[in-house]
């Protein structure tokens, strides 16, 4: 789990100053607690958005199923493996949602600069979620004047984004002597340097956008486009203004993701597209709000049911994939904890996590290190991701630490714990 000292580097590479302050808090909660808190905040957010969209009517259960369809967001499941760093941003996003839902209409405008600047210092995708929240919530003027309102909102959002970015740059200049953000090398940034580079990055963003839709809905991009397009067309029949706002929200989302790719050279991965799921999940919810035709309401209920089914399937797949990893690493941690060794000694892991016990693979060495640190309370060093000289004093003895009768670990003569993973690839 991140602490303030280790998170300081992310202020330079990602501008996450609010997260840095949060990581520097004196009380560190367990991973289970922060995971629960994050998902509780997300559930409350989904419930608030559903309550705002669906008015008080004869069928209050509509709010419940719409909230479930919004809450079962696959990218949120993906990103929730880093819950500790997401809690401040999720709390700020929930606060803005409360302003939109319960405050006057003007609140979504004047509160925007504050919340955009703050959420940019937490997580960039949460900033884009603010725009989606404001646009899908009711209260906009109908017709051409409503479109003018939305253009004005987009302008305020863009200005707020620039303000927040400059604020981060100023903080980085003050703390690191760098006026800007230095993207981490492991992200392989390739910022555009000319017109051809801009075109390449926009195309790459569009390709990623299509890939995200296919992964979300487990179908070809043509099937997804047909389904979303049909849903939007039906929504346009019953509430043209709501249809325009959804399209506007998606355009803002893609526009800012593409602009980020052009400037930083980094394509937003799947886990950063949760605002897109919210925008799409809002289509049937807004249709249920506007329509009084039974056939259309049934059609939108089918769409909501499909979204819930897709969300549950994503959760099932993730659970099936990660359950063996959790069990195997828990077994390793139990064996380490049973050793007669001080909690202050370091654990050196040799071999590769991909060869961990019969092919149960941890995706990255750093994931194994943090998982074992969380379960044992000890500093864990996975030597495969270090320079050869870093673990040199133990590397020559790593094979000696593997004895069938002792399992796969032992205490070395200086007190260090050596773990030797078999089947190194």
């Amino acid at each position: 789990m991140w602490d303030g000292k280790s998170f300081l580097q992310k202020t330079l590479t990602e501008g996450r100053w609010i997260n840095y302050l949060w990581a520097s808090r004196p009380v560190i909660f367990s991973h289970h607690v922060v995971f629960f808190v994050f998902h509780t905040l997300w559930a409350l957010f989904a419930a608030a958005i559903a309550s705002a969209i669906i008015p008080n009517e004869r069928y209050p259960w509509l709010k419940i199923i719409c909230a479930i369809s919004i809450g079962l967001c696959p990218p949120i499941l993906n990103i929730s493996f880093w819950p500790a760093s997401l809690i401040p941003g999720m709390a700020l996003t929930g606060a803005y949602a409360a302003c939109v839902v319960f405050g006057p209409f003007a609140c979504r405008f004047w509160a925007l600069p504050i919340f955009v600047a703050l959420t940019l210092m937490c997580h960039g995708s949460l900033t884009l979620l603010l725009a989606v929240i404001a646009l899908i919530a009711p209260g906009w003027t109908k017709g051409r004047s409503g479109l003018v309102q939305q253009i004005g909102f987009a302008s305020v959002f863009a200005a707020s984004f620039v303000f927040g970015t400059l604020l981060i740059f100023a903080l980085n200049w003050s703390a690191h002597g760098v006026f800007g953000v230095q993207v981490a090398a492991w992200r392989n940034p390739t910022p555009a340097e000319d017109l051809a580079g801009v075109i390449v990055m926009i195309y790459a963003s569009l390709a990623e956008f299509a890939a995200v839709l296919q992964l979300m809905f487990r179908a070809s991009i043509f099937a997804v486009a047909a389904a979303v397009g049909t849903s939007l067309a039906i929504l346009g029949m019953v509430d043209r203004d709501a249809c325009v706002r959804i399209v506007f929200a998606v355009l803002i989302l893609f526009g800012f993701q593409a602009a980020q790719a052009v400037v930083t050279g980094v394509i937003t991965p799947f886990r950063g597209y949760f605002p897109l799921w919210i925008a799409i999940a809002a289509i049937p919810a807004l249709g249920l709000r506007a329509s009084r035709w039974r056939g259309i309401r049934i059609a939108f209920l089918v769409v909501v049911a499909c979204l819930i089914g897709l969300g549950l399937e994503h959760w099932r797949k993730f659970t099936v994939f990660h359950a063996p990893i959790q069990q195997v690493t828990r077994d390793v941690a139990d064996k380490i904890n049973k050793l007669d060794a001080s909690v202050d000694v370091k654990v050196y892991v040799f071999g590769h996590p991909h060869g961990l016990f019969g092919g149960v693979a941890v995706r990255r060495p750093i994931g194994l290190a943090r998982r074992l640190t969380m379960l044992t309370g000890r500093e864990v060093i996975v030597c495969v991701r270090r320079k050869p000289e870093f673990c040199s004093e133990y590397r020559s003895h790593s094979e000696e630490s593997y004895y069938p009768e002792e399992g796969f670990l032992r205490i070395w003569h200086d007190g260090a714990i050596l773990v030797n993973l078999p089947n190194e690839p």
Side-chain angles (χ1 to χ4, degrees):
M1 189 174 295
W2 289 101
D3 56 21
K5 183 178 180 180
S6 59
F7 215 102
L8 182 62
Q9 183 64 20
K10 283 202 173 271
T11 61
L12 176 61
T13 59
E14 299 180 33
R16 296 194 185 186
W17 281 97
I18 298 294
N19 281 358
Y20 165 68
L21 295 176
W22 168 252
S24 302
R25 66 192 185 278
V27 179
I28 303 298
F29 305 108
S30 72
H31 187 83
H32 302 85
V33 171
V34 294
F35 188 83
F36 173 79
V37 170
F38 170 74
H39 281 287
T40 300
L41 290 172
W42 178 255
L44 292 173
F45 164 79
I49 294 301
S51 297
I53 294 175
I54 304 294
N56 295 324
E57 52 173 89
R58 293 176 299 171
Y59 307 110
W61 54 269
L62 286 178
K63 291 184 179 182
I64 297 174
I65 63 171
C66 287
I68 294 173
S69 68
I70 292 171
L72 289 173
C73 175
I76 282 292
L77 173 62
N78 190 296
I79 204 173
S80 64
F81 293 115
W82 299 269
S85 63
L86 293 169
I87 288 177
M90 197 64 249
L92 288 167
T93 304
Y96 180 75
C99 290
V100 171
V101 173
F102 303 109
F105 178 78
C107 181
R108 68 189 71 186
F109 282 85
W110 60 257
L112 201 59
I114 300 171
F115 283 98
V116 166
L118 292 177
T119 53
L120 267 178
M121 299 183 198
C122 300
H123 195 284
S125 294
L126 287 171
T127 305
L128 296 176
L129 185 56
L130 302 181
V132 174
I133 293 168
L135 287 168
I136 66 176
W140 296 87
T141 305
K142 294 186 177 296
R144 185 172 297 179
S145 59
L147 183 58
V148 172
Q149 278 184 331
Q150 293 157 39
I151 294 173
F153 174 83
S155 301
V156 174
F157 181 80
S160 302
F161 201 96
V162 171
F163 167 72
T165 301
L166 291 176
L167 183 59
I168 289 172
F169 286 4
L171 289 171
N172 281 356
W173 178 74
S174 176
H176 304 290
V178 176
F179 187 77
V181 171
Q182 293 183 348
V183 180
W186 64 267
R187 294 187 182 273
N188 299 316
T190 54
E193 298 179 353
D194 51 26
L195 181 59
V198 171
I199 294 173
V200 166
M201 294 310 296
I202 292 177
Y203 177 80
S205 298
L206 187 60
E208 180 67 17
F209 194 81
V212 165
L213 285 172
Q214 291 182 94
L215 184 56
M216 275 186 186
F217 298 102
R218 299 189 178 277
S220 71
I221 187 59
F222 301 105
V224 173
V228 174
T230 301
S231 300
L232 279 171
I234 298 174
L235 176 61
M237 292 169 54
V238 296
D239 190 342
R240 182 179 177 183
D241 297 296
C243 180
V244 171
R245 296 203 309 272
I246 292 292
V247 173
F248 203 64
V250 173
L251 288 175
I252 289 176
L253 173 61
F254 175 74
F256 276 87
Q257 299 284 31
Q260 173 186 285
V262 169
V263 174
T264 66
V266 177
I267 304 295
T268 302
F270 174 78
R271 61 179 177 269
Y273 275 93
F274 49 88
L276 179 60
W277 176 273
I278 304 304
I280 294 175
I283 296 174
L286 289 167
L288 289 168
R289 171 191 174 89
S291 177
R292 292 296 177 264
W293 299 350
R294 185 174 182 180
I296 291 180
R297 289 171 74 87
I298 291 174
F300 279 128
L301 283 174
V302 170
V303 175
V304 171
C306 289
L307 289 173
I308 292 174
L310 283 167
L312 290 173
E313 176 64 9
H314 276 278
W315 280 73
R316 187 190 71 81
K317 291 270 188 185
F318 269 83
T319 302
V320 169
F321 177 77
H322 287 281
I325 296 174
Q326 293 176 339
Q327 185 57 52
V328 169
T329 50
R330 196 177 291 117
D331 291 342
V332 174
D334 287 343
K335 288 180 170 60
I336 292 174
N337 290 332
K338 288 178 181 178
L339 292 175
D340 185 18
S342 168
V343 74
D344 296 325
V345 303
K346 296 179 181 179
V347 178
Y348 292 85
V349 180
F350 295 90
H352 198 288
H354 288 177
L356 188 61
F357 298 166
V360 176
V362 180
R363 289 172 56 195
R364 295 172 60 193
I366 193 173
L368 175 62
R370 289 178 179 170
R371 171 77 173 163
L372 292 179
T373 296
M374 182 188 74
L375 294 172
T376 65
R378 294 176 167 89
E379 181 180 353
V380 177
I381 299 169
V382 180
C383 294
V384 72
R385 62 183 292 265
R386 303 283 188 168
K387 295 180 180 179
E389 63 271 14
F390 191 86
C391 301
S392 58
E393 60 180 306
Y394 301 111
R395 194 176 297 276
S396 60
H397 305 294
S398 62
E399 291 298 327
E400 299 178 28
S401 68
Y402 182 70
Y403 296 100
E405 64 273 13
E406 294 185 15
F408 55 92
L409 71 165
R410 63 180 294 190
I411 302 176
W412 198 240
H413 59 80
D414 64 353
I417 299 175
L418 306 187
V419 179
N420 190 58
L421 301 180
N423 304 321
E424 179 175 344

